Amino acid sequence: MEKAKLKGWRDLHIGGIIVGGATSEAFHTGEWRVQRPVVELDKCINCLFCWVYCPDDAVIVEDGKMKGFDYDHCKGCGICAEECPPKVKCITMIMEEV
Amino acid sequence: MSAQVKRQMLALTGNETIALAMKQIHPDVVAAYPITPSTTVMEKFAEYVANGEVQTELVTVESEHSAMSACIGAATCGVRVMTATSSQGFALMWEMLYVAASLRLPLVMAVVNRALNSNLNIHCDHSDSMGGRDAGWIQLYSEDAQEVYDNLIQAVRIAEHPDVFLPVMVMSDGFYVSHSVFNVTPLSDEEVREFIGTQPRSPYNFLDISNPITVGPVDLPDYYMEHKRLQAEAYYHAKRVVKEIGEEFGKRFGRSYGYFETYGLEDAELVIVIAGTAAGTTRYVVEQLRREGRKVGMLKMRVFRPFPQEEICAALQNAKAVAVLDRSDSFGAFAGPMYTEIRSALYEASSKPKLINRIYGLGGRDLRLSMHMRFFHNLRHCWKVVAMLNATIIWA
């Protein structure tokens, strides 16, 4: 986060609470990623195992079809690539460029 | 209005007095685990609950860590919460004491002071609460059952003041207060209700689903320090509020409270600073020595957090010698906890008194009258002894 955007202590909520719901969406945990999953959609059979197993809800599914990843929140754990069936293996983990 | 109310004097132990104050405060939730010497507080309060005299949700938890955790959970939902503990129980709460203060929850806890292990000792000293002095709680020390009672009633107001919203612990000496019978003049139920208000005030409500909040989230280096700075601000306000409420209590009920109580301090050359029950012994000694024409005095600490440094400095700077009596040591530190802060406060004084620290009464060792008298007699010369021994601390 840019330093200029930070609030001063007087503008913070008492007790350090966060006001509002679902605020974790604004926190981009994807920045922690070392490896990123990449999907080859033409090989994908839409079994959605990746969607089921993803601990961060970072697999985007529309109308029952795998569409890709939410890279703002994918931490790069690689569970999706691991769970993708052996005969399909359409997800590969590649190193993030530093 | 309150002056007309007829009050009854009762013979109560310190712990019965605490339980009575709790009954009148009528908290929504109490979570506690028994530990000597605070056990009979909860024993009596549980009786009130069982008899239907209070509608409090009494949570009997499996440890003091859980007790404080349950209190914190309840307080985040905006209800009035109280608990009581001592010694090892207080120590087991340690982690959660910081959480309660950082979340700015207006809890009130009765701490019945007792020594810490090892070796095992159930008797009074101030090691437990003094060890927790940096956790962020407001600390009020009491000399007798009446003061515990008055402090507890005021504690609710202090904790729930919108400029404060901090937890308050009210101390009393284990056994000396907790298990001794005192003359106590409680307020009427109506007076308590009027003074503290029936609607508890809280900084936020976790259960308000139309305004969702997150309590106690991760706080990284970009904001953690700002949150601590915001918390620090509350203690500046607390200092003012503690005084205001002590004065208001006095106006309404005839017993005023400040940061400390002084006895013969105005023209005193030799002063003893002390907290807790031993102030009674000290007052008697001052009285005796005053009769002999000695210019002696006492300063009894009531509010240790927030620490009233300017007021302490002003009150002590004209004395020639001051002995600060600590009922706990801060091992490896410069001296006992009260001494260290008072010496620090006097750094700003135009004329500085000679200072000595006396560690006394650990594990329930009595502060005997004869010893105390002798100590006071010798205080005039004590700094010579101090210089000779190259020490500022005496264990006696």
Side-chain angles (χ1 to χ4, degrees), chain A residues 1-3 5-24 27 32, chain B residues 102-104 162 164-165 203-204 211-220 222-223 226-227 229-230 233:
Chain A
M1 207 183 272
E2 295 289 319
K3 185 141 181 92
K5 287 179 190 165
L6 293 178
K7 290 177 186 169
W9 63 268
R10 285 184 185 82
D11 302 319
L12 299 179
H13 287 288
I14 189 168
I17 61 161
I18 297 174
V19 172
T23 49
S24 59
F27 190 53
W32 304 359
Chain B
S102 304
L103 293 180
R104 307 287 298 275
V164 179
F165 281 137
Y204 44 81
N211 295 296
I213 55 169
T214 307
V215 176
V218 64
D219 206 354
L220 296 174
D222 56 354
Y223 273 121
E226 273 67 25
H227 283 128
R229 177 64 188 85
L230 180 63
E233 193 70 3

Side-chain angles (χ1 to χ4, degrees), chain B residues 3-4 59 63 77 111 120 162 191 215 219 300 304 311 326:
Chain B
Q4 275 77 45
V59 192
S63 77
C77 302
V111 177
L120 194 153
E191 283 174 317
V215 176
D219 206 354
K300 182 183 82 178
F304 192 67
E311 291 78 5
D326 270 295

Side-chain angles (χ1 to χ4, degrees), chain B residues 96-124:
Chain B
M96 305 318 291
L97 292 178
Y98 282 79
V99 175
S102 304
L103 293 180
R104 307 287 298 275
L105 300 173
L107 303 167
V108 174
M109 170 160 69
V111 177
V112 183
N113 286 114
R114 163 185 158 183
L116 288 165
N117 290 357
S118 188
N119 286 352
L120 194 153
N121 181 300
I122 57 165
H123 295 282
C124 173

Side-chain angles (χ1 to χ4, degrees), chain A residues 39-71:
Chain A
V39 61
E40 294 169 74
L41 285 175
D42 50 341
K43 280 202 212 167
C44 176
I45 60 168
N46 292 309
C47 66
L48 302 186
F49 276 18
C50 56
W51 175 76
V52 170
Y53 280 98
C54 177
D56 273 310
D57 200 14
V59 175
I60 301 164
V61 173
E62 280 167 21
D63 300 325
K65 297 230 163 30
M66 157 64 166
K67 290 287 174 191
F69 297 100
D70 169 6
Y71 288 115

Side-chain angles (χ1 to χ4, degrees), chain B residues 1-7 187 191 194 250-254:
Chain B
M1 47 176 170
S2 305
Q4 275 77 45
V5 177
K6 254 200 146 178
R7 299 201 198 95
L187 308 177
E191 283 174 317
E194 245 177 59
K251 270 187 206 137
R252 286 181 132 177
F253 311 121

